[in-house]
Amino acid sequence: MADIQKYLRQTALPHIWCPGCGHGILLAAILRAIDAQGLDQDKTVIVSGIGCSSRASGYMDFNTVHTAHGRALPFATGIKMANPELNVIVITGDGDATAIGGNHFIHAARRNIDLTTIIFDNNIYGMTGGQSSPLTPQNSRSTTAPFGHIERSFDIAKLSVAAGATYVARGTSFHAKMLTDLIAKGIANKGFSVIDAISGCPTSFGRKNKMAQPSKMLEWQRDHAVTVQAAAKLSAEQLADKFLIGELHQEVAPEFTDEYAKVVERLKGGRA
Ligand code: SF4
Ligand code: MG
C-alpha cells in the first residue's frame, strides 16, 4: 500500500468534508494513482474548480490551483500549453464540469489535450445545498426538484467519447481499488482522459433520497454498478437501473500540445 501521507499538506488539514462524504476516498485514489505512476511532485499540477470536490487541491502537496467555478479546464489548458512537460490533473464536480464548465469540457475533449480530468460525481451541487446538476439522476430529489427531478441526466461517458476524449472510464468510491487503477491509466494516456468517479454525498443528496447514512450511499454504488465485462452477459432489462464501471473507451489520436509544437517547428523553419 502506497504511503500517501507524503502527498498531503498536513498544515491544511483537517479537511472540510462532512463525515461520510465519499470525496476523501476519491482523493486517496488519486494520490495512490499518482504514486503508482511515479509522478514527480514538483512536476505535477492539480487544478480544481469550485465546490466540495474542488477543495481537494488545497490538501494536496503538489503545484495546486483552486480556480473559478467551471473554469478549471481553461486554467489547466493554459498551464499545459505553457509547459507540456508538466503532469496536469483536473479535479471538478459534476455541476462544475458539466453545467457552467460544460463548454470548456467538450472543447478540451475535442482538442485531446493531455489532461486527466476526474469528475467527483456526487449527483448534486453539494456545497451550495443540494441543487440539481446535469448529472442528477432522473426522478431523484434535490433542493430544486423537491418532487422529483424530471430532466434526463447527461451520460457523461458517452458525451466525453463523442466530444473526442481518448480515455474514458467510470469508477466509484465503493470500488476504490478499481478507481485507483482507472485514474492511473488515465494519467498514463497521452491525451484527454476523463474518469467519472461516483462519490457519496450523504448531506445534500443522501438525505433527500433515503440514503442519509453514508453506508447506504456505498451500498447503492455496490448494487447499481456493473463492470463492463459483467454487463456483456446481461440483457437491456437487467441493466435498466444500472451503470457501467471500468474502462469505457480508449483510442489513439493526435494530442494538442504535440500538434502545436509541430506548428512552432514549422514556423521556425520559415514555413507558414
Ligand atoms: Fe461531501 Fe456532500 Fe458534505 Fe460536500 S455536502 S462535503 S459532497 S457530504
Ligand atoms: Mg457535485
Side-chain angles (χ1 to χ4, degrees):
M1 185 70 74
D3 170 21
I4 56 173
Q5 292 296 323
K6 65 184 176 191
Y7 299 123
L8 289 170
R9 284 189 183 126
Q10 301 294 342
T11 51
L13 298 171
H15 59 73
I16 64 149
W17 294 320
C18 306
C21 176
H23 287 1
I25 300 173
L26 272 43
L27 170 58
I30 295 171
L31 296 177
R32 291 196 176 99
I34 286 173
D35 193 76
Q37 288 297 307
L39 302 190
D40 181 336
Q41 262 168 289
D42 292 330
K43 291 192 176 150
T44 300
V45 186
I46 313 290
V47 186
S48 64
I50 292 292
C52 295
S53 62
S54 296
R55 296 300 285 258
S57 61
Y59 308 133
M60 302 169 75
D61 194 10
F62 298 86
N63 304 286
T64 61
V65 194
H66 189 182
T67 70
H69 201 199
R71 314 300 180 203
L73 281 168
F75 279 85
T77 297
I79 292 164
K80 187 72 183 178
M81 288 297 291
N83 186 353
E85 298 300 310
L86 296 172
N87 312 299
V88 184
I89 296 172
V90 175
I91 295 177
T92 174
D94 48 304
D96 193 57
T98 65
I100 190 168
N103 244 327
H104 297 306
F105 184 85
I106 58 174
H107 292 289
R110 179 173 63 84
R111 295 184 189 110
N112 193 34
I113 186 164
D114 187 20
L115 306 173
T116 304
T117 296
I118 300 140
I119 301 175
F120 280 34
D121 183 357
N122 60 1
N123 299 327
I124 204 92
Y125 282 91
M127 183 172 272
T128 48
Q131 296 85 356
S132 293
S133 88
L135 300 191
T136 298
Q138 195 174 25
N139 300 322
S140 57
R141 291 171 191 262
S142 71
T143 304
T144 45
F147 307 110
H149 183 66
I150 57 174
E151 295 177 21
R152 294 182 299 169
S153 59
F154 278 139
D155 183 326
I156 191 62
K158 286 184 180 165
L159 180 71
S160 302
V161 174
T166 46
Y167 181 86
V168 180
R170 183 181 292 114
T172 82
S173 52
F174 180 82
H175 305 82
K177 171 72 174 71
M178 180 196 289
L179 180 62
T180 300
D181 294 343
L182 295 171
I183 295 170
K185 286 180 183 160
I187 292 170
N189 175 51
K190 174 83 174 168
F192 192 70
S193 303
V194 179
I195 295 93
D196 182 26
I198 309 287
S199 185
C201 172
T203 301
S204 292
F205 186 77
R207 282 194 300 172
K208 295 182 178 65
N209 291 281
K210 299 186 179 150
M211 291 184 284
Q213 288 173 286
S215 57
K216 293 275 180 215
M217 303 227 64
L218 288 165
E219 286 165 13
W220 184 88
Q221 293 172 20
R222 178 195 65 192
D223 296 341
H224 290 81
V226 180
T227 63
V228 175
Q229 294 77 7
K233 297 177 194 141
L234 298 176
S235 67
E237 279 168 10
Q238 289 170 310
L239 289 170
D241 67 341
K242 304 286 194 290
F243 61 88
L244 294 185
I245 55 171
E247 291 184 303
L248 306 175
H249 180 74
Q250 256 183 304
E251 67 179 288
V252 176
E255 191 276 326
F256 189 69
T257 61
D258 279 352
E259 296 304 299
Y260 188 78
K262 286 181 198 167
V263 174
V264 171
E265 283 305 308
R266 204 172 71 220
L267 293 177
K268 278 185 191 164
R271 289 171 290 129

